Amino acid sequence: MNINGGIHFNEKGAFFTYHFFCSRCIWHYYNGNGYYRCSPPGHSKISYIDLTGRISCLVSIFALIVAISGPFLTLFASGINRKVILLTAVLMFAISNIVYAYTTKFEVMLAFRILPAIFHPVFFSIALVTAAQLVPPEKSSKAVTKVFAGITVGFAFGVPLTSYLAEKISLEAAFLFGAAVSIIAFIGILAWLPSMPVKERMSFGKQLGILRKPQLWLTIVAVIFIFAAMFSVYSYFAEYLGQVTHMNGSWISIMLMTFGVTMIVGNFLFGGSLHKSMTKTVLIFPLLYVVVYLFTYYLGSYVFPMAVIVFIWGAVHSGGLIVSQALLMTEAKEAPEFGNSLFVSFSNVGITVGASIGGWFISYLGIHQLIWSGIMFILLAFLLIIIKMKIS
């Protein structure tokens, strides 16, 4: 769709999503050793507060709210103008980041973690559907790929940028950067996205009706396992490189950046592959991940082979995002927004489960054995995908 004299929204969508996702990536930063750094306004000294439990609460409350409330909030928002929803969500993200920058009260910070968590699943559910609706049906998968490209760009550059600002300037500067890019996204959506009122609102009953499909629940569990496979290992990526590969901090930073950049490439590779053949792509993805993990396990102690593996690993990792979404949407075509909200919610469940089980593997078996947690989950996902295809 051509908007405002030649600007195509599907070409801008990834840009806006990148700005949004940069602002969310700030929460990946903390200064290690269980300390959260904050510089209260008007104080020249930086106060260090031992907030291990509170950091865990701030991180987990976001995922919990997203997982529980996402589908229901998306249902309630299904009759509201799409542009209004996206603008409201991005504005809430900007406000939250400004609050994070200046508050020193845990209760206030917790409240403003809950607020963006409420809008997070609605934003992504609506953004994915909106991108698909703004182009001809045969190009919808490519439009969704571009939205995921925005997410992968956020992964690649959002974390390093905000971590750099937090280290070199202050944590407040990092949060204000997040607010600034959210405001840029707000302006972009306001200027380039046309008004999209809902012409025919789908009833709650019809949307909820997709939950009666056994294939949908099989797919949901498969999505949980895919994300658990991805994040049971990736959550401890830096620790693995440091303790098993014996890379120093500089090398680990380079590897993190390499991983993020190759995620961008992988996003388009898997997007193109899905467009050609969804069945083959969905079946090949978990097998590729097993191969990557096996190479990581057996060659993880060697620096240069591991550097090559990270390059491939990043590309395959990004496939999990787009493959999972495409897989789930095959069973939620009747209610795409509600289906996407299920994807956002249950992918967060997968991340939480994966990180928890990965931590258990490290605690009881050692960090080198962590890889087997990822292999276990991805094989379970592969098995469920096969069963789903057999009964469909």
Side-chain angles (χ1 to χ4, degrees):
M1 176 179 289
N2 189 281
I3 303 168
N4 290 349
I7 297 174
H8 293 266
F9 176 77
N10 63 309
E11 296 172 358
K12 301 289 182 180
F15 174 75
F16 298 142
T17 309
Y18 158 67
H19 282 297
F20 156 74
F21 205 75
C22 275
S23 69
R24 313 315 311 145
C25 281
I26 294 173
W27 278 97
H28 287 273
Y29 172 81
Y30 63 96
N31 74 320
N33 300 319
Y35 288 92
Y36 187 89
R37 186 165 73 181
C38 49
S39 303
H43 291 69
S44 58
K45 292 183 179 180
I46 296 174
S47 62
Y48 288 86
I49 308 170
D50 190 356
L51 292 177
T52 304
R54 291 188 177 188
I55 292 171
S56 176
C57 179
L58 289 171
V59 173
S60 60
I61 193 68
F62 189 93
L64 183 64
I65 295 295
V66 169
I68 294 174
S69 67
F72 302 104
L73 292 171
T74 303
L75 278 176
F76 286 121
S78 60
I80 303 173
N81 188 305
R82 302 291 174 259
K83 183 173 183 177
V84 172
I85 294 173
L86 295 176
L87 287 172
T88 304
V90 174
L91 183 61
M92 290 301 103
F93 302 143
I95 292 171
S96 297
N97 274 299
I98 293 171
V99 172
Y100 303 149
Y102 293 109
T103 187
T104 58
K105 295 184 181 297
F106 173 75
E107 294 77 10
V108 174
M109 190 168 285
L110 181 62
F112 279 88
R113 280 297 280 163
I114 293 172
L115 182 63
I118 291 171
F119 285 94
H120 177 93
V122 179
F123 176 91
F124 272 109
S125 302
I126 300 299
L128 289 167
V129 173
T130 299
Q133 289 177 346
L134 287 170
V135 297
E138 66 273 12
K139 294 183 178 180
S140 61
S141 62
K142 292 183 178 179
V144 171
T145 298
K146 290 181 179 180
V147 173
F148 278 110
I151 299 173
T152 54
V153 170
F155 268 122
F157 300 108
V159 174
L161 276 172
T162 53
S163 295
Y164 178 83
L165 289 171
E167 286 285 357
K168 299 300 182 182
I169 304 176
S170 69
L171 192 58
E172 288 89 340
F175 281 125
L176 290 175
F177 170 74
V181 293
S182 292
I183 290 169
I184 292 172
F186 180 91
I187 294 170
I189 294 170
L190 184 65
W192 286 312
L193 182 67
S195 178
M196 298 185 68
V198 178
K199 296 178 181 178
E200 186 177 347
R201 181 174 180 174
M202 190 180 297
S203 69
F204 290 170
K206 188 173 182 180
Q207 294 184 72
L208 290 168
I210 65 172
L211 297 176
R212 292 194 291 265
K213 300 166 67 174
Q215 294 94 329
L216 176 67
W217 288 104
L218 272 175
T219 306
I220 285 173
V221 178
V223 168
I224 292 173
F225 284 154
I226 288 172
F227 274 83
M230 293 161 61
F231 286 91
S232 62
V233 180
Y234 180 71
S235 297
Y236 307 96
F237 181 81
E239 289 84 350
Y240 191 89
L241 293 180
Q243 296 179 36
V244 177
T245 315
H246 303 295
M247 290 185 177
N248 60 31
S250 298
W251 265 101
I252 291 173
S253 296
I254 292 170
M255 291 298 98
L256 283 167
M257 180 66 79
T258 300
F259 191 96
V261 171
T262 56
M263 276 184 68
I264 302 170
V265 177
N267 178 79
F268 286 102
L269 289 175
F270 277 96
S273 181
L274 281 168
H275 188 68
K276 292 178 181 177
S277 175
M278 178 178 290
T279 302
K280 288 182 180 178
T281 306
V282 167
L283 289 172
I284 288 172
F285 165 75
L287 299 178
L288 283 175
Y289 226 126
V290 170
V291 172
V292 168
Y293 275 161
L294 287 173
F295 274 111
T296 302
Y297 182 78
Y298 288 107
L299 299 176
S301 57
Y302 303 99
V303 172
F304 291 108
M306 191 60 193
V308 175
I309 291 167
V310 167
F311 191 86
I312 301 169
W313 185 358
V316 176
H317 184 86
S318 69
L321 302 174
I322 191 166
V323 167
S324 298
Q325 191 267 348
L327 183 65
L328 196 148
M329 290 310 295
T330 60
E331 302 299 337
K333 292 178 181 178
E334 303 91 337
E337 289 170 4
F338 183 59
N340 276 314
S341 72
L342 293 173
F343 166 71
V344 175
S345 292
F346 286 102
S347 62
N348 272 272
V349 172
I351 292 170
T352 303
V353 170
S356 300
I357 298 299
W360 185 92
F361 266 75
I362 293 172
S363 297
Y364 290 95
L365 302 175
I367 194 162
H368 192 204
Q369 306 306 318
L370 171 67
I371 301 301
W372 294 107
S373 67
I375 292 174
M376 174 186 71
F377 280 122
I378 202 66
L379 288 177
L380 286 171
F382 181 71
L383 178 62
L384 286 177
I385 290 169
I386 294 294
I387 294 172
K388 174 189 174 298
M389 289 183 173
K390 290 289 184 181
I391 66 175
S392 294

